[in-house]
Amino acid sequence: MQAVMGEFIGTMILILLGGGVCAACNLNQSKAQNAGWIVIALGWAMAVTIAVFISGFMGPAHLNPAVTIAMAMTGAIEWSQVVPFIIAQLLGAIVGAILVWLAYLPHWDATEDQGAILGTFATGPAIRNLPANMITEAIGTFVLVLALLAFGKNDLQFGNNVFAVGAVILAVGLSLGGPTGYAINPARDLGPRIAHAILPMKNKGDSDWGYALVPIVGPIIGAIIAVLVFNLF
C-alpha cells in the first residue's frame, strides 16, 4: 500500500510541476508566457526529478505505466502490482492536473486559445499523422526505459540516479519532443486529458480524444521494445 501511495503522490507532483510549467508558458497574463520550449523541457525534467525524490522512499517511483510494465517484464516488480500502480498513477495525474487548474485559476478565462489551454493539460502533435506520432512516442519511451534499465546496472547512489533520470527527460524533451510534445508516459497524458474534459473552463474546447490513444499505446510499445533490446545485451 505504501508503494501504491508513492505512485499516487509522485505522479501528482510530476503533473503539478510539469503541467504547471506548460501553464506558465501557455496561458495569457502569466509572467512566464511565451518563455518557450527550453523552459518547458527544463521544467518537466525537474518535475520528474523532484517527484522521484518525494516518492522514492515509499516505493520504486515509476510514475509511468509504461515504466511499470517494463519493470514487471524484467521481474523488478510482481505482475500483481502493475494494475494498482497504474490506477494510482492515473489518479495522481488527474489530481495533479486539477491542482494546476487551481494554481492558475484566473488565467483560464483570460486565455481564449483553446489549443494553448489543451496543451497545458495534454500532449498533441505538431503535424497530425497518427502512425508517425505513435512512432515518435515509442522512440522517446524506448530511450527512457533503456536508460532506466542501464542505470540499474551502474553503481549510482540514489541521488545521482534520480538526477540521471531527470537528465534523460531533458534530453528526450529537447531532442525528440518537437513532433508530439513527448508524453512518453500514458498517465501523464490521459490523467490531465480527463481533467481537461471535466473541469469548468470557459474557453477549453475539445479534449481531442481522437489523439488520446497515441500517448498511451506508443509509450507502452517503446517500453516493451526497450526491455527486449536490453535483454539482448
Side-chain angles (χ1 to χ4, degrees), residues 137-162:
E137 286 293 325
I139 292 172
T141 313
F142 170 83
V143 173
L144 170 63
V145 172
L146 192 67
L148 294 177
L149 295 172
F151 292 162
K153 297 296 185 182
N154 285 276
D155 185 18
L156 295 173
Q157 297 296 321
F158 174 70
N160 293 334
N161 202 32
V162 175

Side-chain angles (χ1 to χ4, degrees), residues 25-192:
C25 293
N26 287 349
L27 299 182
N28 284 351
Q29 300 182 41
S30 161
K31 291 181 181 295
Q33 187 177 11
N34 299 320
W37 188 251
I38 303 297
V39 170
I40 289 176
L42 284 168
W44 274 104
M46 294 309 300
V48 171
T49 303
I50 293 168
V52 173
F53 271 125
I54 288 174
S55 60
F57 74 94
M58 290 181 275
H62 296 161
L63 318 183
N64 182 337
V67 172
T68 294
I69 291 170
M71 295 307 166
M73 289 178 64
T74 66
I77 64 168
E78 300 292 334
W79 279 102
S80 61
Q81 294 178 285
V82 170
V83 171
F85 274 24
I86 291 176
I87 291 173
Q89 291 157 0
L90 182 59
L91 292 175
I94 293 171
V95 173
I98 292 172
L99 292 176
V100 173
W101 172 70
L102 290 172
Y104 284 85
L105 199 56
H107 295 268
W108 308 106
D109 286 349
T111 304
E112 297 181 358
D113 185 339
Q114 295 179 355
I117 291 175
L118 178 58
T120 296
F121 289 87
T123 61
I127 298 175
R128 196 179 188 91
N129 180 323
L130 298 188
N133 303 150
M134 192 169 294
I135 290 170
T136 298
E137 286 293 325
I139 292 172
T141 313
F142 170 83
V143 173
L144 170 63
V145 172
L146 192 67
L148 294 177
L149 295 172
F151 292 162
K153 297 296 185 182
N154 285 276
D155 185 18
L156 295 173
Q157 297 296 321
F158 174 70
N160 293 334
N161 202 32
V162 175
F163 282 115
V165 173
V168 174
I169 299 298
L170 178 60
V172 171
L174 292 176
S175 300
L176 301 173
T180 61
Y182 74 115
I184 59 173
N185 180 342
R188 173 266 173 274
D189 188 272
L190 180 58

